[in-house]
Amino acid sequence: MTSIVTVSPARNVWEQVKWKCQTSSSMFSTIILVHLILGFLTSGGTGSFSTGGSFLSFEARTYTLDVAFLYSIILMLGIGWMLASGALSRDQFSIVTTNQTEVVSTFFFFVLLSIFTFVSSVCMLCISVAIEMLKLNEPLVVENQFFSVSIMAMFIVCMLVASTMGYFIRTVFQFSKVLLGLLTVLLFLLIRMYGVDSWSAVFGTTSAEIIGRSSLYVVLLWGAIFVMRLRREVNR
Protein backbone atom coordinates (compact mmCIF):
# COMPACT_ATOMS: atom_id res chain seq x y z
CA MET A 1 0.00 0.00 0.00
CA THR A 2 1.32 3.45 -0.94
CA SER A 3 0.71 6.47 1.24
CA ILE A 4 -0.57 9.64 -0.42
CA VAL A 5 1.04 11.76 2.32
CA THR A 6 4.66 12.68 1.77
CA VAL A 7 6.77 13.65 4.77
CA SER A 8 10.25 15.08 4.28
CA PRO A 9 13.15 13.33 6.07
CA ALA A 10 13.86 16.49 8.09
CA ARG A 11 10.25 16.66 9.30
CA ASN A 12 10.34 12.96 10.12
CA VAL A 13 13.51 13.37 12.18
CA TRP A 14 12.06 16.41 13.96
CA GLU A 15 8.90 14.51 14.89
CA GLN A 16 10.97 11.60 16.12
CA VAL A 17 13.09 13.87 18.33
CA LYS A 18 9.97 15.47 19.84
CA TRP A 19 8.46 12.06 20.43
CA LYS A 20 11.61 10.80 22.15
CA CYS A 21 11.65 13.87 24.40
CA GLN A 22 8.05 13.24 25.40
CA THR A 23 8.32 9.50 26.00
CA SER A 24 11.74 9.74 27.68
CA SER A 25 10.90 12.58 30.05
CA SER A 26 11.89 10.31 32.94
CA MET A 27 15.50 10.61 31.73
CA PHE A 28 15.45 14.38 32.25
CA SER A 29 13.83 13.94 35.67
CA THR A 30 16.45 11.36 36.65
CA ILE A 31 19.29 13.71 35.68
CA ILE A 32 17.82 16.52 37.79
CA LEU A 33 17.25 14.17 40.74
CA VAL A 34 20.81 12.82 40.63
CA HIS A 35 22.27 16.33 40.50
CA LEU A 36 20.07 17.48 43.39
CA ILE A 37 21.24 14.54 45.51
CA LEU A 38 24.86 15.27 44.61
CA GLY A 39 24.35 18.92 45.48
CA PHE A 40 23.04 18.12 48.95
CA LEU A 41 25.63 15.42 49.66
CA THR A 42 28.72 17.23 48.41
CA SER A 43 27.57 20.88 48.63
CA GLY A 44 29.25 21.33 45.26
CA GLY A 45 32.68 21.45 46.87
CA THR A 46 35.65 19.36 45.81
CA GLY A 47 38.31 20.65 48.20
CA SER A 48 39.08 23.08 50.99
CA PHE A 49 41.92 24.22 53.22
CA SER A 50 42.25 26.56 56.20
CA THR A 51 45.05 28.80 57.32
CA GLY A 52 45.57 31.79 59.53
CA GLY A 53 47.85 33.80 61.77
CA SER A 54 47.60 35.82 64.94
CA PHE A 55 44.88 38.16 63.78
CA LEU A 56 43.56 36.56 60.59
CA SER A 57 42.24 33.15 59.65
CA PHE A 58 40.32 32.01 56.62
CA GLU A 59 39.07 28.90 54.85
CA ALA A 60 39.26 28.51 51.09
CA ARG A 61 36.86 26.19 49.27
CA THR A 62 36.86 25.04 45.67
CA TYR A 63 33.59 24.44 43.85
CA THR A 64 33.80 22.58 40.55
CA LEU A 65 31.76 20.27 38.33
CA ASP A 66 34.12 17.32 38.85
CA VAL A 67 31.71 15.21 40.90
CA ALA A 68 28.74 16.07 38.67
CA PHE A 69 30.84 15.25 35.61
CA LEU A 70 31.82 11.80 36.90
CA TYR A 71 28.32 10.75 37.91
CA SER A 72 26.83 12.25 34.75
CA ILE A 73 29.16 10.10 32.63
CA ILE A 74 27.93 6.96 34.39
CA LEU A 75 24.32 8.12 34.11
CA MET A 76 24.60 8.85 30.38
CA LEU A 77 26.12 5.42 29.76
CA GLY A 78 23.09 3.84 31.39
CA ILE A 79 20.66 6.05 29.50
CA GLY A 80 22.29 5.18 26.18
CA TRP A 81 22.06 1.48 27.01
CA MET A 82 18.38 1.69 28.03
CA LEU A 83 17.39 3.70 24.97
CA ALA A 84 19.06 1.19 22.65
CA SER A 85 17.38 -1.70 24.44
CA GLY A 86 13.97 -0.13 23.93
CA ALA A 87 13.21 -0.24 27.65
CA LEU A 88 11.95 3.34 27.60
CA SER A 89 10.46 3.42 24.12
CA ARG A 90 6.81 3.73 23.17
CA ASP A 91 5.12 2.86 19.89
CA GLN A 92 4.06 5.84 17.84
CA PHE A 93 2.25 4.57 14.76
CA SER A 94 1.46 8.04 13.43
CA ILE A 95 5.15 8.58 12.56
CA VAL A 96 6.72 6.61 9.73
CA THR A 97 10.05 5.32 10.95
CA THR A 98 13.04 3.92 9.11
CA ASN A 99 16.43 2.92 10.42
CA GLN A 100 17.96 6.06 8.93
CA THR A 101 15.58 8.47 10.63
CA GLU A 102 15.72 6.46 13.85
CA VAL A 103 19.51 6.73 14.08
CA VAL A 104 19.61 10.42 13.14
CA SER A 105 16.80 11.35 15.56
CA THR A 106 18.47 9.40 18.37
CA PHE A 107 21.72 11.28 17.76
CA PHE A 108 19.98 14.67 17.99
CA PHE A 109 18.12 13.50 21.09
CA PHE A 110 21.44 12.65 22.75
CA VAL A 111 22.78 16.08 21.81
CA LEU A 112 19.80 17.73 23.53
CA LEU A 113 20.19 15.42 26.52
CA SER A 114 23.89 16.27 26.81
CA ILE A 115 23.18 20.01 26.74
CA PHE A 116 20.46 19.53 29.35
CA THR A 117 22.90 17.57 31.55
CA PHE A 118 25.41 20.42 31.40
CA VAL A 119 22.78 23.03 32.28
CA SER A 120 21.51 20.86 35.14
CA SER A 121 25.07 20.44 36.47
CA VAL A 122 25.74 24.18 36.41
CA CYS A 123 22.42 24.89 38.15
CA MET A 124 23.26 22.28 40.78
CA LEU A 125 26.61 23.95 41.41
CA CYS A 126 25.08 27.43 41.69
CA ILE A 127 22.38 26.22 44.08
CA SER A 128 24.97 24.40 46.20
CA VAL A 129 27.14 27.50 46.47
CA ALA A 130 24.13 29.66 47.33
CA ILE A 131 23.05 27.25 50.10
CA GLU A 132 26.59 27.16 51.46
CA MET A 133 26.74 30.95 51.51
CA LEU A 134 23.46 31.11 53.45
CA LYS A 135 24.70 28.56 55.98
CA LEU A 136 27.91 30.45 56.74
CA ASN A 137 27.41 33.52 58.91
CA GLU A 138 30.76 35.00 57.98
CA PRO A 139 32.12 37.46 55.39
CA LEU A 140 32.72 35.82 52.02
CA VAL A 141 35.16 36.80 49.29
CA VAL A 142 34.95 35.26 45.82
CA GLU A 143 38.55 34.88 44.69
CA ASN A 144 38.07 33.45 41.21
CA GLN A 145 35.24 32.43 38.89
CA PHE A 146 36.62 30.47 35.98
CA PHE A 147 34.38 29.44 33.12
CA SER A 148 34.99 29.19 29.41
CA VAL A 149 33.22 28.06 26.27
CA SER A 150 35.82 25.31 25.80
CA ILE A 151 34.93 23.79 29.18
CA MET A 152 31.23 23.89 28.29
CA ALA A 153 31.88 22.25 24.91
CA MET A 154 34.16 19.64 26.47
CA PHE A 155 31.51 18.73 29.07
CA ILE A 156 28.77 18.39 26.45
CA VAL A 157 30.91 16.38 24.04
CA CYS A 158 32.00 14.00 26.81
CA MET A 159 28.35 13.46 27.78
CA LEU A 160 27.61 12.74 24.12
CA VAL A 161 30.46 10.23 23.97
CA ALA A 162 29.18 8.47 27.12
CA SER A 163 25.59 8.17 25.86
CA THR A 164 26.84 7.08 22.43
CA MET A 165 29.03 4.40 24.01
CA GLY A 166 26.10 3.01 25.98
CA TYR A 167 23.91 3.00 22.87
CA PHE A 168 26.71 1.49 20.77
CA ILE A 169 27.49 -1.34 23.20
CA ARG A 170 23.83 -2.32 23.44
CA THR A 171 23.44 -2.17 19.65
CA VAL A 172 26.50 -4.38 19.19
CA PHE A 173 25.10 -6.80 21.77
CA GLN A 174 21.87 -7.05 19.80
CA PHE A 175 23.70 -7.31 16.49
CA SER A 176 26.36 -9.91 17.30
CA LYS A 177 27.59 -11.23 20.62
CA VAL A 178 30.77 -12.43 18.92
CA LEU A 179 31.53 -8.89 17.77
CA LEU A 180 30.85 -7.62 21.29
CA GLY A 181 33.34 -10.14 22.64
CA LEU A 182 36.00 -8.98 20.18
CA LEU A 183 35.41 -5.34 21.13
CA THR A 184 35.72 -6.27 24.82
CA VAL A 185 39.07 -7.94 24.17
CA LEU A 186 40.30 -4.93 22.20
CA LEU A 187 39.22 -2.59 24.99
CA PHE A 188 41.03 -4.74 27.56
CA LEU A 189 44.22 -4.68 25.47
CA LEU A 190 43.91 -0.91 25.06
CA ILE A 191 43.60 -0.36 28.80
CA ARG A 192 46.51 -2.72 29.48
CA MET A 193 48.67 -0.98 26.90
CA TYR A 194 48.17 2.55 28.24
CA GLY A 195 47.55 1.70 31.91
CA VAL A 196 46.55 4.62 34.11
CA ASP A 197 47.29 7.05 31.29
CA SER A 198 44.64 5.56 29.01
CA TRP A 199 42.35 8.61 29.30
CA SER A 200 45.00 11.12 28.22
CA ALA A 201 46.38 8.74 25.58
CA VAL A 202 42.98 8.21 23.97
CA PHE A 203 41.32 11.60 24.48
CA GLY A 204 44.30 13.95 24.84
CA THR A 205 45.25 16.38 27.58
CA THR A 206 44.10 19.82 26.46
CA SER A 207 40.48 20.86 26.02
CA ALA A 208 40.96 21.20 22.25
CA GLU A 209 42.35 17.67 21.98
CA ILE A 210 39.54 16.23 24.11
CA ILE A 211 36.85 17.99 22.07
CA GLY A 212 38.43 17.06 18.73
CA ARG A 213 39.11 13.42 19.49
CA SER A 214 35.78 12.92 21.26
CA SER A 215 33.92 14.40 18.30
CA LEU A 216 35.79 12.03 15.99
CA TYR A 217 34.86 9.06 18.18
CA VAL A 218 31.22 10.14 18.16
CA VAL A 219 31.21 10.28 14.35
CA LEU A 220 32.86 6.85 14.05
CA LEU A 221 30.55 5.24 16.61
CA TRP A 222 27.39 6.61 15.02
CA GLY A 223 28.68 5.52 11.62
CA ALA A 224 29.06 1.99 12.97
CA ILE A 225 25.61 2.18 14.60
CA PHE A 226 24.12 3.35 11.30
CA VAL A 227 25.64 0.40 9.42
CA MET A 228 24.43 -2.13 12.01
CA ARG A 229 20.94 -0.66 12.14
CA LEU A 230 20.64 -0.85 8.36
CA ARG A 231 20.83 -4.62 8.73
CA ARG A 232 17.75 -4.60 10.94
CA GLU A 233 14.61 -3.00 9.56
CA VAL A 234 12.37 -1.18 12.01
CA ASN A 235 8.79 -2.37 12.17
CA ARG A 236 6.33 0.42 12.84
Side-chain angles (χ1 to χ4, degrees), residues 68-96:
F69 178 82
L70 176 62
Y71 282 92
S72 297
I73 286 286
I74 300 174
L75 185 61
M76 294 296 281
L77 277 169
I79 288 176
W81 175 279
M82 288 188 294
L83 193 63
S85 65
L88 298 178
S89 64
R90 300 290 187 275
D91 289 330
Q92 169 61 294
F93 297 102
S94 63
I95 302 175
V96 179

Short mmCIF file of all heavy atoms in Angstrom, two decimals, residues 68-96:
data_model
loop_
_atom_site.label_atom_id
_atom_site.label_comp_id
_atom_site.label_asym_id
_atom_site.label_seq_id
_atom_site.Cartn_x
_atom_site.Cartn_y
_atom_site.Cartn_z
N ALA A 68 29.89 16.15 39.58
CA ALA A 68 28.74 16.07 38.67
C ALA A 68 29.15 15.47 37.34
O ALA A 68 28.39 14.70 36.73
CB ALA A 68 28.14 17.45 38.47
N PHE A 69 30.35 15.79 36.87
CA PHE A 69 30.84 15.25 35.61
C PHE A 69 30.99 13.73 35.68
O PHE A 69 30.54 13.01 34.79
CB PHE A 69 32.19 15.89 35.26
CG PHE A 69 32.82 15.37 34.00
CD1 PHE A 69 32.43 15.86 32.77
CD2 PHE A 69 33.80 14.39 34.06
CE1 PHE A 69 33.00 15.38 31.60
CE2 PHE A 69 34.37 13.91 32.90
CZ PHE A 69 33.98 14.40 31.68
N LEU A 70 31.59 13.24 36.76
CA LEU A 70 31.82 11.80 36.90
C LEU A 70 30.51 11.03 36.94
O LEU A 70 30.32 10.05 36.21
CB LEU A 70 32.63 11.54 38.16
CG LEU A 70 32.89 10.06 38.50
CD1 LEU A 70 33.68 9.38 37.40
CD2 LEU A 70 33.62 9.94 39.84
N TYR A 71 29.58 11.46 37.79
CA TYR A 71 28.32 10.75 37.91
C TYR A 71 27.45 10.92 36.66
O TYR A 71 26.66 10.03 36.32
CB TYR A 71 27.56 11.21 39.16
CG TYR A 71 28.11 10.62 40.43
CD1 TYR A 71 29.09 11.27 41.16
CD2 TYR A 71 27.66 9.39 40.89
CE1 TYR A 71 29.60 10.72 42.33
CE2 TYR A 71 28.16 8.83 42.06
CZ TYR A 71 29.14 9.51 42.78
OH TYR A 71 29.64 8.96 43.92
N SER A 72 27.59 12.04 35.98
CA SER A 72 26.83 12.25 34.75
C SER A 72 27.31 11.31 33.65
O SER A 72 26.50 10.83 32.84
CB SER A 72 26.94 13.71 34.29
OG SER A 72 26.37 14.59 35.24
N ILE A 73 28.62 11.05 33.61
CA ILE A 73 29.16 10.10 32.63
C ILE A 73 28.54 8.72 32.83
O ILE A 73 28.09 8.06 31.88
CB ILE A 73 30.70 10.02 32.77
CG1 ILE A 73 31.36 11.28 32.21
CG2 ILE A 73 31.24 8.78 32.06
CD1 ILE A 73 31.36 11.37 30.70
N ILE A 74 28.51 8.27 34.09
CA ILE A 74 27.93 6.96 34.39
C ILE A 74 26.44 6.95 34.04
O ILE A 74 25.91 5.97 33.48
CB ILE A 74 28.15 6.62 35.88
CG1 ILE A 74 29.64 6.58 36.19
CG2 ILE A 74 27.47 5.29 36.23
CD1 ILE A 74 29.96 6.40 37.65
N LEU A 75 25.75 8.04 34.38
CA LEU A 75 24.32 8.12 34.11
C LEU A 75 24.03 8.10 32.62
O LEU A 75 23.10 7.41 32.15
CB LEU A 75 23.76 9.39 34.74
CG LEU A 75 22.24 9.60 34.66
CD1 LEU A 75 21.51 8.47 35.36
CD2 LEU A 75 21.86 10.95 35.27
N MET A 76 24.82 8.81 31.83
CA MET A 76 24.60 8.85 30.38
C MET A 76 24.91 7.51 29.73
O MET A 76 24.26 7.12 28.75
CB MET A 76 25.47 9.95 29.76
CG MET A 76 25.09 11.36 30.18
SD MET A 76 23.43 11.84 29.66
CE MET A 76 23.73 12.25 27.95
N LEU A 77 25.87 6.78 30.26
CA LEU A 77 26.12 5.42 29.76
C LEU A 77 24.89 4.55 29.94
O LEU A 77 24.48 3.81 29.03
CB LEU A 77 27.32 4.81 30.51
CG LEU A 77 28.71 5.17 30.01
CD1 LEU A 77 29.76 4.69 31.02
CD2 LEU A 77 28.98 4.54 28.65
N GLY A 78 24.29 4.63 31.13
CA GLY A 78 23.09 3.84 31.39
C GLY A 78 21.92 4.26 30.53
O GLY A 78 21.15 3.42 30.05
N ILE A 79 21.77 5.56 30.33
CA ILE A 79 20.66 6.05 29.50
C ILE A 79 20.83 5.59 28.06
O ILE A 79 19.85 5.17 27.41
CB ILE A 79 20.59 7.59 29.58
CG1 ILE A 79 20.07 8.02 30.95
CG2 ILE A 79 19.71 8.16 28.47
CD1 ILE A 79 20.05 9.52 31.16
N GLY A 80 22.05 5.66 27.53
CA GLY A 80 22.29 5.18 26.18
C GLY A 80 21.97 3.70 26.03
O GLY A 80 21.37 3.28 25.04
N TRP A 81 22.35 2.91 27.04
CA TRP A 81 22.06 1.48 27.01
C TRP A 81 20.55 1.23 27.02
O TRP A 81 20.03 0.42 26.25
CB TRP A 81 22.73 0.81 28.20
CG TRP A 81 22.40 -0.64 28.35
CD1 TRP A 81 21.28 -1.19 28.92
CD2 TRP A 81 23.20 -1.75 27.92
NE1 TRP A 81 21.34 -2.56 28.89
CE2 TRP A 81 22.50 -2.93 28.28
CE3 TRP A 81 24.44 -1.85 27.29
CZ2 TRP A 81 23.01 -4.20 28.01
CZ3 TRP A 81 24.94 -3.12 27.03
CH2 TRP A 81 24.24 -4.27 27.38
N MET A 82 19.83 1.92 27.91
CA MET A 82 18.38 1.69 28.03
C MET A 82 17.64 2.13 26.78
O MET A 82 16.69 1.47 26.35
CB MET A 82 17.84 2.42 29.26
CG MET A 82 18.24 1.80 30.58
SD MET A 82 17.40 2.56 31.98
CE MET A 82 18.11 4.20 31.93
N LEU A 83 18.07 3.23 26.17
CA LEU A 83 17.39 3.70 24.97
C LEU A 83 17.59 2.73 23.82
O LEU A 83 16.68 2.49 23.02
CB LEU A 83 17.88 5.09 24.59
CG LEU A 83 17.04 5.82 23.54
CD1 LEU A 83 15.64 6.08 24.07
CD2 LEU A 83 17.70 7.14 23.16
N ALA A 84 18.79 2.16 23.71
CA ALA A 84 19.06 1.19 22.65
C ALA A 84 18.30 -0.11 22.87
O ALA A 84 17.91 -0.78 21.92
CB ALA A 84 20.55 0.91 22.55
N SER A 85 18.09 -0.47 24.14
CA SER A 85 17.38 -1.70 24.44
C SER A 85 15.88 -1.57 24.25
O SER A 85 15.15 -2.57 24.24
CB SER A 85 17.67 -2.15 25.88
OG SER A 85 17.15 -1.22 26.80
N GLY A 86 15.39 -0.34 24.11
CA GLY A 86 13.97 -0.13 23.93
C GLY A 86 13.18 -0.18 25.21
O GLY A 86 11.94 -0.23 25.19
N ALA A 87 13.89 -0.14 26.36
CA ALA A 87 13.21 -0.24 27.65
C ALA A 87 12.34 0.97 27.94
O ALA A 87 11.36 0.88 28.67
CB ALA A 87 14.25 -0.41 28.77
N LEU A 88 12.70 2.11 27.35
CA LEU A 88 11.95 3.34 27.60
C LEU A 88 11.21 3.82 26.37
O LEU A 88 10.74 4.96 26.32
CB LEU A 88 12.90 4.44 28.10
CG LEU A 88 13.62 4.14 29.42
CD1 LEU A 88 14.55 5.29 29.77
CD2 LEU A 88 12.62 3.93 30.55
N SER A 89 11.10 2.99 25.36
CA SER A 89 10.46 3.42 24.12
C SER A 89 8.97 3.18 24.16
O SER A 89 8.46 2.36 24.93
CB SER A 89 11.08 2.66 22.93
OG SER A 89 10.80 1.28 23.05
N ARG A 90 8.25 3.90 23.32
CA ARG A 90 6.81 3.73 23.17
C ARG A 90 6.50 3.69 21.67
O ARG A 90 7.19 4.33 20.86
CB ARG A 90 6.05 4.91 23.81
CG ARG A 90 6.30 5.08 25.29
CD ARG A 90 5.66 3.96 26.11
NE ARG A 90 5.76 4.22 27.53
CZ ARG A 90 6.81 3.92 28.27
NH1 ARG A 90 7.87 3.37 27.72
NH2 ARG A 90 6.80 4.18 29.57
N ASP A 91 5.50 2.94 21.30
CA ASP A 91 5.12 2.86 19.89
C ASP A 91 4.34 4.09 19.49
O ASP A 91 3.40 4.50 20.18
CB ASP A 91 4.28 1.62 19.64
CG ASP A 91 5.10 0.34 19.74
OD1 ASP A 91 6.30 0.41 19.44
OD2 ASP A 91 4.54 -0.69 20.13
N GLN A 92 4.75 4.68 18.38
CA GLN A 92 4.06 5.84 17.84
C GLN A 92 3.78 5.53 16.38
O GLN A 92 4.61 5.70 15.50
CB GLN A 92 4.93 7.10 17.98
CG GLN A 92 4.43 8.32 17.21
CD GLN A 92 3.06 8.79 17.64
OE1 GLN A 92 2.08 8.08 17.44
NE2 GLN A 92 2.97 9.96 18.22
N PHE A 93 2.58 5.04 16.11
CA PHE A 93 2.25 4.57 14.76
C PHE A 93 1.91 5.71 13.80
O PHE A 93 1.77 5.48 12.61
CB PHE A 93 1.07 3.60 14.84
CG PHE A 93 1.38 2.36 15.64
CD1 PHE A 93 0.92 2.22 16.93
CD2 PHE A 93 2.15 1.34 15.10
CE1 PHE A 93 1.20 1.08 17.67
CE2 PHE A 93 2.44 0.20 15.82
CZ PHE A 93 1.96 0.07 17.12
N SER A 94 1.76 6.91 14.31
CA SER A 94 1.46 8.04 13.43
C SER A 94 2.71 8.58 12.74
O SER A 94 2.61 9.43 11.86
CB SER A 94 0.79 9.17 14.22
OG SER A 94 1.65 9.67 15.21
N ILE A 95 3.90 8.11 13.15
CA ILE A 95 5.15 8.58 12.56
C ILE A 95 5.80 7.43 11.82
O ILE A 95 6.06 6.37 12.38
CB ILE A 95 6.11 9.10 13.64
CG1 ILE A 95 5.47 10.25 14.42
CG2 ILE A 95 7.42 9.56 13.02
CD1 ILE A 95 6.30 10.74 15.57
N VAL A 96 6.06 7.63 10.54
CA VAL A 96 6.72 6.61 9.73
C VAL A 96 8.20 6.60 10.08
O VAL A 96 8.88 7.62 10.01
CB VAL A 96 6.53 6.90 8.23
CG1 VAL A 96 7.24 5.84 7.40
CG2 VAL A 96 5.04 6.95 7.88
#
